[in-house]
Amino acid sequence: MKIILVLLLVVSVGFNSAAQPKKRGKVKRKYQKTEHVRATQPDVFIHGRVKNQDDELLVGALVKLIGTTKAVHTNTDGEYFFSKVLLGRHTIQVSYMGYKTKSIDYTVHTGHNYINFTIDERNVKLDPIVVTAQKREQQVLDVPAAVSVIGNKTLENLDIRDLDILSDFVPGLNIIIQSILRPDFVIRGLTSDEVGASAQPRVAAYYNDIPISRATGAAIELFDMKRVEVLKGPQGTLFGRGAQIGAIHFISEKPTNTFTGFLSAGFGDYGQKYVSGAINIPVIEDKLQARAAGVYDFRDGYVKNTFGGTLNGKNTTAGRFSLRFIPSIFTKIDLEVNYQKDDAPGTAFMSGTYPNTNGSTDIYNYVASLDRGESLANQRKIFGTILNARHYINEHTYFTSITSFRTYTTFAAWDGDGSAAEAINMAEDAGVKQITQELRYNYSLGNKLNGFVGASYWREKVKKVYGFTLNEQQMAYLFTSDPSMMVLANGQPNTITNLPVDTLFGPLAGMPLPAVHEEENISEAVNQSIEGFADATYNLTRKISITAGIRYIMNRFKLSNEALFSGGTASTLGMLTGNYPNLFFMPSERQELKKTFSAITGRANISYKYTENTTVFAGYAKGYRPDVLQFTSNGTPETVPAEIVDSYDFGFKGIFLSRLWADLDIFYHQYKNFQTSVWVADPGNGNFNYLTAGIDKASAYGGEASLKYAIMKHLQFFGNYAYIHARFNEADVLHVGGPNPENQFRLTPEHSFSVGLNASANITPGIQLFAIPTYSYKSHFYFEDANTKGVEQDAYGILSARGGFRLSDPDVTLSVYANNLLDEKYLISGGNTGSMFGIPTFIPGAPRMVGTKLTWRF
């Protein structure tokens, strides 16, 4: 805390110093040729927008007043402004990657000077890359960190609607979507891995500058998006406590001062129906703007359930309304309301041990036999509001306030044994409410020192109810020496009414088994965090900059838990696990566990601008995942200490000949008290626990590279590659089934890459044909940190393609697509609840899917 107070004091002194009048010496001779008169009024401004020849606003363009130190990047509206400008004649220059640099001479007068720019594309160009990763608009070359950006043009060209597809085009990122309620975000080998009510994610998901916090709410629909930024390595200074190893920032389109919009509609395999659209209305020019967007995406599941319905489908309706009020050029207020409803079928947890009712154990027949039929489900409702206000003092200095409220409710019902048996049926009913308030002050001192300082408050209330419905007359086989007897060769369940005579059961042999047993485990948490942060970049020279940041985090977590015998007959098998009259969780009254703890994270980077278009950087950052509060199956409270990572990065990024973009990042991560999730039976008493376990040491190292090459104006190559060697250095000595030394982090292929071509040809002045083939590859990886043999995915690759034609007037695009064109067989999940009994379940990846889409932009 002392460090934070000292840092804030230093920054405050800097602010006060900057605010004092400065003595000025004589004007240097090289500036005396232009007669500038110092403005006697404080309201001398230059203000305008930067667009291209298609009237599109350009974000992140660099605007300079030649002969002065004034230089700014255009904001998210393509706007720039300079304050306290000297009266007289100036040269104003605009530059932007992929566009021709443009300069104009202008005589500045008292008051507001409105100067708009339209700049022309180069014949061969790359799309510019703009980010707000450091809480201000910058070109990616100026950010001394590993950052990948998927912009709106890429999202549109590749027709990216799902997060797992998006991750193929970001090196070092792997997103696995079991269902909308069970996404796994993996950056450089580290999985978000948030399950418990108090557990916090390792990969922060942000939406328009507010933390989503829980992965369950992060699998949002990608519609009307401006871009997605992925920051790799610890980002605690920039994004807070949840960004232990990285952050994913979703940034939607905002209202603008132009009447525009689009409408898309499509259909495809498995009954897919897709409609999306947006409309932007300037209600009062330059003062009040509104934007509304929505999407409906439906698809039957690609796995048929012989008990009724389909599995692994989609049914999403989402909408967004945004309002922007601009009372002056210095103040901007954004209000946004979001809503999403998902009513998808259940998840295809398919047994690799038991046949379906057709007698097949081949999960790639895409036929499951899950006894609950159409009652299996994945349902979710999300509602959120964001109020974002920004007030400028001058072109570099401004205050920001971000206020948000977000709530979501979820319900999931799934088959834990993956078969026709009624052995393990499970459900989760959960609700989350979150509020966030952040205040931030961005500053610039003489254009030498740029940064921000601020504070935030975050609070969430979580309730999770896990329900278990068990038929022990079938489940009892899982406790015998031959669990394969639970389901017969024809896929029908095998039933026994009493525990068989077996040395494993001792005196319990012959006891009656209940056909229905129900139990619940209820967890509630109130998690709060107060954070103070500061970050700054100092330009030592024109080429060398140093960046440092620090964040103080104080967490206050409160977790309560109770377990109930909720219905049916008392569990006979619970006498074996020690949890009688329940099986999984010993009945217990509500009990509470509280803890307050704090931490300091930070980063330090140095960057060297070798040329105007190439940057080399190196840095260190400390990542932090807070303590995990939890209760074991018998109700014992536990606290798993915080996970810490020391991260070292070295990178290079550059643009060559205005047509080649390349970046390379090399990293090393050293973990202390690595937290891994295990669901195993403790050997002492047979109790079942799904816990977070702390392992003292683990490490990861590797490299990531991406490349874009504009071969010619209508032909572009893009690709990326990642190598990640992530291993445990010590064993889990507390739990059977935990990872051993040299085990590979789960969901982490050592090698992955994707490549693609974007080709187009004008067949007439108003009609353009295009084709975009892509191929992505992942090497072998495991689904569990224990690296269980058979619960793994061999190396595989996916070929997809999109093509069609575009009309220029009207602006219409007709496209066809084929995902997984070669119908590759692969898994998206393995292990799951069944692993606890040695009968892992698996979810097959989607087969080939084709469809078409029509888009009209106006």
Side-chain angles (χ1 to χ4, degrees), residues 141-158:
L141 276 172
D142 298 326
V143 179
V147 183
S148 296
V149 182
I150 304 294
N152 57 349
K153 287 188 177 180
T154 301
L155 292 170
E156 180 183 347
N157 289 338
L158 300 177

Side-chain angles (χ1 to χ4, degrees), residues 11 15 133-136 237-238 440-443 450-454 533-536 551 603:
V11 174
F15 293 157
Q134 296 191 128
K135 307 303 181 182
R136 59 186 184 273
T237 303
L238 299 175
R440 189 172 69 245
Y441 181 50
N442 283 64
Y443 62 88
N450 300 277
F452 59 85
V453 61
F533 49 86
D535 194 270
R551 181 178 291 252
R603 67 168 183 156

Side-chain angles (χ1 to χ4, degrees), residues 159 161-162 221 265-275 296-301 314 817 819 849-853:
D159 196 25
R161 308 178 204 172
D162 299 307
E221 194 72 8
F267 62 90
D269 282 345
Y270 299 93
Q272 183 173 43
K273 304 175 189 70
Y274 179 85
V275 179
Y296 171 70
D297 195 353
F298 173 86
R299 189 193 68 234
D300 289 325
K314 187 173 186 178
Y817 65 86
N819 296 328
M849 292 186 179
V850 299
T852 184
K853 188 171 80 167

Side-chain angles (χ1 to χ4, degrees), residues 409-597:
T409 57
T410 65
F411 174 77
W414 68 98
D415 190 314
D417 55 81
S419 73
E422 299 174 342
I424 312 172
N425 285 302
M426 304 174 65
E428 180 194 52
D429 201 342
V432 179
K433 292 182 179 179
Q434 299 171 337
I435 60 171
T436 305
Q437 175 62 60
E438 178 181 291
L439 297 173
R440 189 172 69 245
Y441 181 50
N442 283 64
Y443 62 88
S444 178
L445 304 181
N447 225 19
K448 290 281 286 184
L449 180 66
N450 300 277
F452 59 85
V453 61
S456 66
Y457 173 73
W458 165 84
R459 183 182 189 272
E460 73 168 358
K461 186 175 181 180
V462 184
K463 183 175 182 179
K464 289 176 174 277
V465 180
Y466 285 100
F468 301 82
T469 300
L470 315 170
N471 182 339
E472 294 195 358
Q473 294 182 356
Q474 297 169 12
M475 187 183 184
Y477 285 105
L478 301 180
F479 288 76
T480 69
S481 56
D482 190 6
S484 65
M485 290 295 294
M486 188 176 76
V487 175
L488 302 174
N490 62 2
Q492 298 299 323
N494 196 7
T495 301
I496 51 175
T497 57
N498 299 79
L499 274 177
V501 177
D502 192 310
T503 55
L504 294 172
F505 302 134
L508 297 178
M511 289 195 65
L513 293 165
V516 179
H517 166 73
E518 297 177 354
E519 59 186 82
E520 287 185 350
N521 186 269
I522 305 170
S523 296
E524 294 186 66
V526 177
N527 306 315
Q528 301 178 79
S529 177
I530 298 175
E531 304 178 38
F533 49 86
D535 194 270
T537 298
Y538 182 70
N539 300 317
L540 286 173
T541 69
R542 188 173 63 87
K543 289 180 174 290
I544 301 175
S545 300
I546 57 173
T547 299
I550 191 169
R551 181 178 291 252
Y552 172 77
I553 305 167
M554 184 181 73
N555 293 306
R556 183 181 180 88
F557 291 172
K558 180 174 71 173
L559 176 68
S560 66
N561 177 262
E562 61 179 315
L564 307 174
F565 167 36
S566 56
T569 307
S571 169
T572 298
L573 298 176
M575 299 178 186
L576 298 174
T577 64
N579 293 325
Y580 184 84
N582 281 347
L583 173 65
F584 290 110
F585 296 95
M586 181 183 294
S588 61
E589 295 183 354
R590 181 185 173 93
Q591 52 184 326
E592 220 172 65
L593 179 60
K594 297 180 182 178
K595 187 166 184 181
T596 299
F597 39 89

Side-chain angles (χ1 to χ4, degrees), residues 601-617:
T601 65
R603 67 168 183 156
N605 302 74
I606 184 169
S607 65
Y608 175 67
K609 206 155 191 177
Y610 182 70
T611 69
E612 187 67 22
N613 292 317
T614 56
T615 302
V616 179
F617 68 88

Side-chain angles (χ1 to χ4, degrees), residues 201-204 206 233-236 239-247 622-624:
R202 293 145 149 178
V203 176
Y206 268 65
Q235 302 297 330
F239 286 93
R241 64 194 155 60
Q244 180 196 354
I245 208 63
K622 180 181 179 181
Y624 159 79

